[in-house]
């Protein structure tokens, strides 16, 4: 299973959106160099308020570009970086990956998938009504989160638009993604 990086984004200040960059540098065990969410322990404000000593399982946020077309069909304009992601992808089913999948990106970088992004009310502050487009329920009534996945950096490296992403599934039983 493989795909392509279509955009990379980072921001050194707390802000919902992140500006696109020519490249980002991933630092092993930390996240995106210079990004406000980089660190060994949690950096998301709501998580810090709960317990600032929790490990940071949300070092790098990835979103599939196909989501933008889906929400666009419902009247919402969303482009890379708008939802705070660091890496925007195309051609790889991020939401279908199991926990522990390794994503090899470009020449050196390796991410380990930790779970799903839990969409929050900030999405509606960005575009009123968008939250309902990125979180819903399936036929059985289960919550479905579509706002991307979270990961940690196993091996650092530079990531640029156009880089190839290859997924290596974990051995053993696959655990479906849940919110982190």
């Amino acid at each position: 299973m493989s795909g392509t990086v279509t955009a990379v984004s980072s921001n050194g200040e707390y802000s919902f959106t992140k500006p696109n960059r020519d490249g980002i540098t991933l630092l092993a065990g930390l996240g995106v160099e210079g990004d406000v969410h980089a660190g060994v322990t949690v950096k998301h404000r709501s998580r810090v308020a709960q317990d600032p000593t929790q490990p940071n399982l949300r070092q790098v946020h990835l979103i599939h570009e196909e989501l933008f077309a889906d929400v666009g069909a419902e009247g919402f304009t969303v482009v890379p970086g708008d939802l705070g992601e660091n890496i925007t992808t195309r051609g790889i089913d991020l939401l279908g990956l199991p926990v522990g999948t390794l994503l090899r990106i470009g020449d050196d970088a390796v991410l380990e998938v930790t779970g799903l992004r839990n969409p929050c009310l900030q999405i509606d502050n960005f575009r009123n009504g968008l939250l309902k487009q990125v979180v819903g329920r399936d036929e059985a009534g289960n919550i479905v989160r579509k706002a991307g996945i979270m990961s940690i950096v196993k091996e650092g490296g530079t990531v640029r638009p156009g880089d190839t992403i290859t997924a290596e599934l974990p051995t053993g039983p696959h655990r479906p993604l849940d919110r982190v």
Side-chain angles (χ1 to χ4, degrees):
M1 185 181 326
S2 64
T4 305
V5 173
T6 60
V8 293
S9 310
S10 67
N11 199 339
E13 299 176 12
Y14 279 105
S15 171
F16 184 70
T17 62
K18 294 186 179 189
N20 295 154
R21 309 288 183 191
D22 293 332
I24 56 173
T25 301
L26 302 182
L27 303 173
L30 295 174
V32 178
E33 182 177 46
D35 191 82
V36 70
H37 294 111
V40 174
T41 57
V42 293
K43 300 301 175 196
H44 288 77
R45 290 177 174 171
S46 63
R47 306 284 168 128
V48 170
Q50 291 174 0
D51 178 1
T53 66
Q54 295 176 70
N56 188 1
L57 301 178
R58 301 165 54 106
Q59 293 174 355
V60 181
H61 177 199
L62 298 92
I63 283 186
H64 50 295
E65 184 179 73
E66 293 84 353
L67 176 66
F68 304 153
D70 292 345
V71 300
E74 299 298 323
F76 296 92
T77 301
V78 179
V79 297
D82 277 354
L83 297 181
E85 76 277 10
N86 301 111
I87 300 175
T88 309
T89 69
R90 180 180 348 140
I92 187 166
D93 180 13
L94 296 176
L95 302 178
L97 298 172
V99 172
T101 298
L102 296 180
L103 298 174
R104 297 190 178 280
I105 306 175
D107 294 332
D108 302 309
V110 179
L111 299 176
E112 181 179 334
V113 176
T114 56
L116 295 168
R117 176 190 183 181
N118 192 31
C120 64
L121 289 176
Q122 289 186 60
I123 292 174
D124 266 352
N125 293 338
F126 172 69
R127 297 270 192 282
N128 190 37
L130 183 58
L131 182 60
K132 286 186 179 181
Q133 301 300 315
V134 298
V135 64
R137 296 199 179 266
D138 64 16
E139 304 80 35
N142 300 311
I143 294 176
V144 177
R145 294 170 177 87
K146 304 175 197 172
I149 64 171
M150 306 308 286
S151 63
I152 58 173
V153 181
K154 298 300 280 183
E155 296 178 28
T158 300
V159 177
R160 293 181 180 86
D163 282 351
T164 299
I165 305 167
T166 305
E168 287 182 21
L169 300 178
T171 58
H174 290 181
R175 291 186 2 231
L177 298 178
D178 199 1
R179 69 183 182 97
V180 293

